Amino acid sequence: MKSTHLSKMTLLLILLTMFSCFNNEKKEYASAEEIPVNREMNAELTSPPYVPTPIGKRKAKKLIVKMEIKEQEGEITDGVRYVYWTFGGSVPGSFIRTRVGDEVEFHLQNHPDNKLPHNIDLHAVNGPGGGAESSFVAPGHEKIFSFKVLNPGLYVYHCATAPVGMHIANGMYGLILVEPDGGLPPVDKEYYVMQGDFYTKGANGERGLQPFDMQKAVDEKADYVVFNGNVNALTGDNALTAKVGETVRLFVGNGGPGLVSSFHVIGEIFDKVHVEGGDVINENVQTTLIPAGGAAIVEFKVDVPGTFILVDHSIFRAFNKGALGMLKVEGEKDKKIYSGELMDNIYLPEGPGIQSMPTTNEIKESEIPAKSLAEQLEFGKQIYGQTCIACHQAEGQGIPNAFPPLAKSDYLNADVNRAIDIVLHGKTGEITVNGAKYNSVMTKQMISQEEIANVLTYVYNSWGNNKTVVTPEMVKKVKDKK
Ligand code: CU
């Protein structure tokens, strides 16, 4: 009896000792630099939007990172070419995933076909230039340096070869994650998103191979602000995906070189943000600021299906310069969390007895009809300036991906009655104009038949269109058909 009791005590003591040893594993080392490296392994590198396998419980290792610099031509948006300088063949560069205590042996390889020397400054490095001084490498060479990973967090790396701004502007940036001992808590989906601003000789949308514009970069007047290197990187078929109920973690960086990002996901709230990629965790965040040369980790659970839009909430960048991505979520609807449209009621601020919604019947015909083509053009131009210009722009050029052009418009010139009908009744749904697809909404215009005739005559007689003259009678005919 006594001996049994004793052996139980012994066992308990052994267990306690074991437990305390295990428990003290983290505390054994005064700092990350003392964590021993138990083996050597090659780092898994990934192109955006993907990230390497989580670290989990793996011990600190000697991690070999082999990264090849490639200068290569790509497409920044439809028809616009750009020579990117890349770490690993992508913008942003390959994602590097490490943990505290890792000893990274970094091999920076400059492809022999490249034209310029480059280097790398990793913000996760404690050392001069973040590695830049040791890694300056000419085409056809490889430089090797090593560093111990001391601080957990999400860090930017970038080229720091003069002119530094130009190397970064051409796409030379990426992210290196340093996970804490034991790893980050597991989530369902992880993605890599990095913003960057681009400066081209031609204006936004100007076709052909566009050289870098140093002056625009100095002035911080970006032609493109994009996620993952180009306008279409995270839209359509390239959208990020998740399922209802999953938790999504985005590793978000901002390479700059010039602009700070107000990162936001339309229709979502960040449950957690690792502010600036560090240890501070903020909760329930709508928009998080990501400095140039900085990062953040954002996490959120997706509750309902739909397309959620990633933007820089400096909103012209999103809708006019490309800083727009998509997260498509599939799964069951939950009407308690989001109902969708329930009803479309007439809204009358002053009560139904006082006024009713205007209809085309109530639009007053103008009392001074145009007496000549010249007058039609003059009046039409005025209407255009009041009604159409915001969307279709001063020269009828439209806005790419949003509002179709009216200048040299095949769609317009093909069918005048269709054009009249659209101005009378509005238009929704996809149309193709000059080979490009548009899917926006034009509301019906509250202007008279006379005004419709004038404005369409103005449009048809401007910007290379077919010079159709539209009369009020033609407008009336289309209207009466409905
Ligand atoms: Cu460079």
Side-chain angles (χ1 to χ4, degrees):
M1 184 74 189
K2 202 173 184 185
S3 71
T4 321
H5 181 72
L6 225 159
S7 67
K8 267 186 186 166
M9 284 290 285
T10 318
L11 192 70
L12 193 71
L13 211 75
I14 292 167
L15 277 171
L16 270 172
T17 318
M18 275 175 70
F19 180 73
S20 66
C21 276
F22 178 72
N23 207 29
N24 280 346
E25 196 182 25
K26 282 180 207 172
K27 290 166 196 161
E28 246 178 74
Y29 313 109
S31 62
E33 61 223 274
E34 287 172 25
I35 300 174
V37 165
N38 73 339
R39 257 176 55 196
E40 185 177 304
M41 70 185 273
N42 284 317
E44 177 194 0
L45 301 179
T46 58
S47 302
Y50 303 107
V51 296
T53 316
I55 297 295
K57 302 242 178 289
R58 89 150 165 82
K59 294 214 164 66
K61 291 210 161 111
K62 180 173 174 185
L63 201 63
I64 317 284
V65 174
K66 288 186 179 164
M67 196 175 274
E68 185 185 42
I69 296 166
K70 281 185 190 160
E71 299 165 4
Q72 62 190 29
E73 200 180 305
E75 201 170 58
I76 199 159
T77 189
D78 301 329
V80 183
R81 314 284 302 168
Y82 194 80
V83 176
Y84 294 99
W85 299 349
T86 74
F87 285 110
S90 60
V91 178
S94 309
F95 196 98
I96 310 167
R97 195 160 193 160
T98 68
R99 56 151 287 166
V100 283
D102 277 348
E103 206 173 280
V104 175
E105 184 181 284
F106 207 102
H107 297 237
L108 189 65
Q109 303 157 337
N110 195 344
H111 194 279
D113 292 345
N114 291 343
K115 295 187 171 60
L116 290 152
H118 300 281
N119 63 8
I120 192 165
D121 168 354
L122 300 119
H123 291 180
V125 167
N126 290 275
E133 289 181 12
S134 322
S135 61
F136 186 76
V137 59
H141 288 257
E142 176 188 63
K143 279 284 171 74
I144 302 168
F145 66 103
S146 78
F147 61 93
K148 184 95 170 176
V149 180
L150 304 182
N151 307 70
L154 182 62
Y155 297 92
V156 167
Y157 66 79
H158 61 88
C159 183
T161 302
V164 178
M166 182 183 182
H167 283 250
I168 295 175
N170 285 339
M172 298 198 80
Y173 46 77
L175 291 179
I176 174 169
L177 173 67
V178 181
E179 294 203 44
D181 188 22
L184 290 168
V187 290
D188 301 299
K189 291 276 160 63
E190 291 185 326
Y191 292 111
Y192 173 20
V193 176
M194 198 160 183
Q195 185 169 320
D197 28 292
F198 286 85
Y199 305 84
T200 52
K201 263 278 177 293
N204 179 296
E206 205 168 308
R207 291 176 163 254
L209 182 64
Q210 290 295 329
F212 167 73
D213 188 310
M214 187 70 175
Q215 192 54 51
K216 282 185 186 172
V218 170
D219 297 340
E220 298 182 4
K221 287 190 173 150
D223 296 286
Y224 300 90
V225 183
V226 298
F227 296 126
N228 291 1
N230 70 75
V231 174
N232 304 315
L234 292 177
T235 61
D237 291 345
N238 301 324
L240 307 177
T241 58
K243 294 197 179 74
V244 166
E246 287 187 327
T247 298
V248 179
R249 175 182 285 146
L250 303 179
F251 298 102
V252 190
N254 184 6
L259 305 178
V260 165
S261 175
S262 301
F263 186 72
H264 176 80
V265 177
I266 299 174
E268 265 303 336
I269 295 148
F270 304 141
D271 300 324
K272 278 189 199 172
V273 175
H274 293 246
V275 178
E276 292 166 7
D279 283 348
V280 173
I281 294 181
N282 198 358
E283 291 179 321
N284 304 321
V285 176
Q286 58 191 308
T287 301
T288 193
L289 207 61
I290 306 182
I297 304 172
V298 307
E299 294 172 15
F300 50 94
K301 186 177 158 219
V302 282
D303 300 294
V304 295
T307 300
F308 297 82
I309 311 287
L310 286 58
V311 295
D312 178 341
H313 215 297
S314 287
I315 209 74
F316 281 106
R317 297 179 191 167
F319 292 107
N320 301 76
K321 296 185 173 183
L324 188 150
M326 292 175 181
L327 169 69
K328 289 188 179 165
V329 178
E330 287 184 345
E332 288 295 307
K333 284 185 182 161
D334 185 341
K335 299 245 173 191
K336 279 187 197 139
I337 292 175
Y338 184 69
S339 70
E341 180 176 314
L342 294 175
M343 227 179 266
D344 179 2
N345 287 330
I346 302 294
Y347 168 62
L348 300 172
E350 303 188 21
I354 296 166
Q355 60 182 110
S356 60
M357 290 292 283
T359 69
T360 40
N361 295 333
E362 287 164 317
I363 295 165
K364 279 192 190 136
E365 287 306 316
S366 61
E367 283 158 17
I368 324 163
K371 288 187 220 63
S372 62
L373 177 61
E375 270 194 7
Q376 258 205 305
L377 294 175
E378 189 193 326
F379 297 162
K381 190 176 181 179
Q382 284 170 16
I383 299 290
Y384 188 85
Q386 293 155 7
T387 309
C388 321
I389 201 166
C391 298
H392 294 291
Q393 302 288 290
E395 301 301 317
Q397 70 270 38
I399 294 176
N401 305 316
F403 304 110
L406 301 178
K408 288 185 192 149
S409 165
D410 57 359
Y411 187 87
L412 193 70
N413 291 317
D415 188 345
V416 65
N417 289 328
R418 178 173 65 184
I420 294 169
D421 185 74
I422 290 172
V423 182
L424 276 169
H425 303 110
K427 175 86 186 158
T428 55
E430 190 177 276
I431 60 168
T432 301
V433 181
N434 298 344
K437 289 199 168 99
Y438 296 86
N439 197 346
S440 55
V441 177
M442 171 161 160
T443 54
K444 73 175 175 184
Q445 300 301 305
M446 295 300 171
I447 55 178
S448 69
Q449 293 173 35
E450 170 90 27
E451 288 168 326
I452 291 173
N454 293 342
V455 75
L456 280 174
T457 300
Y458 168 70
V459 168
Y460 273 111
N461 286 272
S462 306
W463 319 308
N465 287 324
N466 68 3
K467 300 195 185 299
T468 304
V469 174
V470 181
T471 63
E473 290 71 35
M474 287 162 73
V475 178
K476 189 170 185 303
K477 242 189 183 169
V478 174
K479 194 180 157 197
D480 291 346
K481 255 195 206 163
K482 284 254 162 167

